[in-house]
Amino acid sequence: MDQLIETFSAIVGRAHVYHGERATRRFRKGYRYGDGDILAAVRPGTLLEQWKVLQACVAADLIVIFQAANTGLTGGSTPFGDGYDRPIVIINTMRIDRIDLIDGGKQVIAMPGATLDRLEKALRPIGREPHSVIGSSCIGASVAGGVCNNSGGSLIRRGPAYTQFSIFAQIDAEGRLHLVNHLGVELGGDAETILARLDRKDYAESDISYASNQWASDREYHDHIRDVDASTPARFNADPRRHYEASGSAGRIGVFAVRLDTFEADKDVTVFYIGANDPNELGQIRRHILSQFKNLPIAGEYIHRDAYKIAQVYGKDLYLFIKAFGTDNVPKAFAGKSWFDGVTEKLGLGSTISDHVLTFLARLLPEHLPKRMNAYRHRFTHHLLLKMGGEGGAEARAYLKARVPVGEAAFFECTPAEGEAAFLQRFAVGGSVVRYRATHKKTVEDIVALDIALPRNMVDWFETLPASITEKIEKTVYCGHFFCHVLHQEYLAKKGVDCHALEEEMLAILDTRGAQYPAEHNVGHLYAAQPALEDFYRQLDPTNSFNPGIGKTSRKKMWA
């Protein structure tokens, strides 16, 4: 071990090698799930350093987990308990964060630690946007991580993150390490030359290929989602149509760079806030807009009343933090909280003191959400945030005025401040569930988190659970990307409940509904990989050396 630590230190510098329980905590402990013993966490500062660290790991027959921001929701970027047959090294890529704009900004080349937030800011001056602009971007998620997980995001026309352009490292069946340059950029022949040139940005426009038959985004999705009579979901992680090398790889290869399309930013954005007590009202609105509108929405986010209430209290500090300090500082805030939690844990005080303090302080502050939104919280069970751009605003306005109010439904057109608040409140839902669990240890056993994709033709989209299940749940939190029929259904199980058994009961119900899961957070260590997905992993990683065990697969060498 000592010799390996010295080797890593010689490559990246001693300050960027972490070993020992305290020093490695923020790398080995997942945002929501996951923890386990590791030999070290290493943070290279260049692509060439990353390659040399990887070479040392392969030579020592170690397990390697590539990690960026460690913001995954299914534990897929950390170890998960024990059962591994080799020591684990985490290679954290966040120091390698450069973004190159190419083709006038119509495409980008993102290094492995480049974040969505950083990409969004790089594109804003030229009126363009990345694949995703809210949600994961707020907590520092990486561009490459989104590609590796086929992450969906909230933007309806752009589909799952996807590209056929990347540079990646792969171990073949004989255990030999290779670097594959499929970035579409001529950078030389051998691995060190390729990576050194990319580190220096030593390439010209003439070195870049723009072959029309190679894709840097899901070009078909805007048509795919409009097929509201299809019996399959619009997008889900096991869908083989979007598995290609880095895309969907889930850490089964070592990604060094990805190349992606960017998108023209929408102008004249309008947000409509729709409330309903009958979920079928929202379902009919979804089908009509997807099948009949000339202009597809930018986004359509669903929030259940109970999710709204929990986020209003337990997501308030995150909401206010972003409002005051922007998204840039959220990763730093999470890192600071993780450090503090590590200190209190070491002192035997537990790891939730910060959660209690932050929630208490937030309660002392004035109400932060707009009055009209809170009024709808009282009136309606189901909330839909519809964001339209350009001519789509007038199209949606005319349709909603003709259709709503009808029955138990109504809508209002948001001011710019209300529109921003609505989507920020939607984002706060995810973190509020984690906060609720942390501050209710006496009554909550754990979170059962389901990330599901419903068939595009499903009419009865809102689930009804039997009493045998609801009696085991303290709180239920529903939200999702409504037009994609991707729902995040999270259940805070009562103390003493067997969460694994509860999850199995729920998945059995989802199977009868034709749902696919997970939809966009990937299998991590929570979901079993479907056979086709496991086959994809085996093809990418025949020795099972990169991120073994995800998808509840083997953790042993050669998939034993």
Side-chain angles (χ1 to χ4, degrees), residues 93-148:
T93 63
M94 293 302 285
R95 291 178 63 212
I96 315 171
D97 61 357
R98 197 181 81 237
I99 295 168
D100 298 345
L101 275 59
I102 61 175
D103 194 19
K106 293 178 182 177
Q107 289 189 337
V108 297
I109 295 173
M111 303 303 117
T115 64
L116 281 165
D117 179 70
R118 183 183 178 94
L119 177 55
E120 184 181 348
K121 288 177 172 58
L123 293 172
R124 190 176 294 155
I126 60 172
R128 300 190 71 82
E129 293 178 339
H131 165 264
S132 182
V133 296
I134 189 66
S136 297
S137 56
C138 287
I139 52 175
S142 70
V143 177
V147 170
C148 291

Side-chain angles (χ1 to χ4, degrees), residues 4 7-8 11-12 42 44 46-64 66 89 91 169-171 175-179 190-193 195 254 256 545-546:
L4 275 169
T7 299
F8 295 149
I11 297 169
V12 305
V42 185
T46 67
L47 297 174
L48 190 54
E49 287 181 1
Q50 180 173 310
W51 173 251
K52 290 179 178 179
V53 170
L54 182 56
Q55 284 181 311
C57 291
V58 173
D61 195 23
L62 303 177
I63 286 171
V64 176
F66 277 90
V89 168
I91 299 179
Q170 189 171 30
I171 301 173
R176 294 171 300 199
L177 181 65
H178 304 272
L179 186 76
D190 65 281
E192 293 201 3
T193 299
L195 297 176
F256 283 71
S545 297
F546 289 120

Side-chain angles (χ1 to χ4, degrees), residues 505-521:
E505 287 184 75
M506 291 178 171
L507 293 180
I509 293 173
L510 289 173
D511 289 339
T512 66
R513 301 179 71 203
Q516 291 280 354
Y517 48 84
E520 62 177 5
H521 293 159

